[in-house]
């Protein structure tokens, strides 16, 4: 069992930056792919970025490509999402998630493929 806890959310002006962290409990996090999702009010949860267990492959939604960077430090059992050049449309609750398939080289873009979820952290970007 893995528990995920996000932190780093907050309120920023457009053009600003935030760095989200996802701290995982348990010794198996390093074996799992992880993803960052977000959900704005009245909208479905959507993929933001994903990264394989090794960090060797990443995926970004078109809306954040070039602005956000996903990374992980398996020694610290922590994943990160660096968000630069934030826009008001980035406002949402951000969730980290882990896919419990060991050492998978696949990256999945839908919430249903992920087994563990954090509680979410609010990101608000004002214009």
């Amino acid at each position: 069992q893995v528990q995920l806890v996000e932190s780093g959310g907050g309120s920023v002006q457009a053009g600003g930056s935030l760095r989200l962290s996802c701290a995982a409990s348990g010794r198996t996090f390093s074996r799992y792919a992880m993803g960052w999702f977000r959900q704005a009010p009245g909208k479905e949860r959507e993929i933001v970025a994903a990264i394989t267990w090794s960090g060797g492959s990443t995926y970004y939604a078109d809306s954040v490509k070039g602005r956000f960077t996903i990374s992980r430090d398996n020694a610290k059992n922590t994943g990160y999402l660096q968000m630069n050049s934030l826009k008001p449309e980035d406002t949402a609750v951000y969730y980290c998630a882990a896919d419990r398939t060991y050492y998978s080289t696949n990256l999945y873009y839908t919430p249903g493929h992920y087994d563990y979820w954090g509680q979410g952290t609010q990101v608000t970007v004002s214009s």
Side-chain angles (χ1 to χ4, degrees):
Q1 188 75 9
V2 170
Q3 292 185 329
L4 306 174
V5 179
E6 302 96 337
S7 62
S11 297
V12 296
Q13 290 192 327
S17 298
L18 285 172
R19 188 194 196 201
L20 305 184
S21 297
C22 175
S25 65
R27 292 175 290 180
T28 54
F29 175 74
S30 61
R31 307 172 191 176
Y32 302 151
M34 68 164 291
W36 285 95
F37 289 78
R38 66 187 181 188
Q39 188 166 18
K43 295 189 176 181
E44 293 188 350
R45 193 169 296 189
E46 63 177 4
I47 184 77
V48 175
I51 188 168
T52 52
W53 69 274
S54 65
S57 294
T58 57
Y59 166 83
Y60 295 94
D62 288 343
S63 59
V64 306
K65 205 171 291 184
R67 300 188 296 123
F68 290 11
T69 303
I70 189 172
S71 62
R72 65 190 301 162
D73 185 338
N74 286 339
K76 296 182 178 179
N77 264 11
T78 303
Y80 304 98
L81 184 69
Q82 177 67 44
M83 305 186 295
N84 298 330
S85 302
L86 283 161
K87 303 176 181 179
E89 51 263 43
D90 294 318
T91 295
V93 178
Y94 283 71
Y95 300 88
C96 67
D99 166 16
R100 67 181 177 188
T101 306
Y102 280 11
Y103 304 122
S104 172
T105 56
N106 297 319
L107 289 174
Y108 296 105
Y109 318 134
T110 57
H113 278 106
Y114 290 81
D115 305 287
Y116 303 112
W117 290 85
Q119 82 290 348
T121 186
Q122 176 71 45
V123 172
T124 303
V125 185
S126 57
S127 57

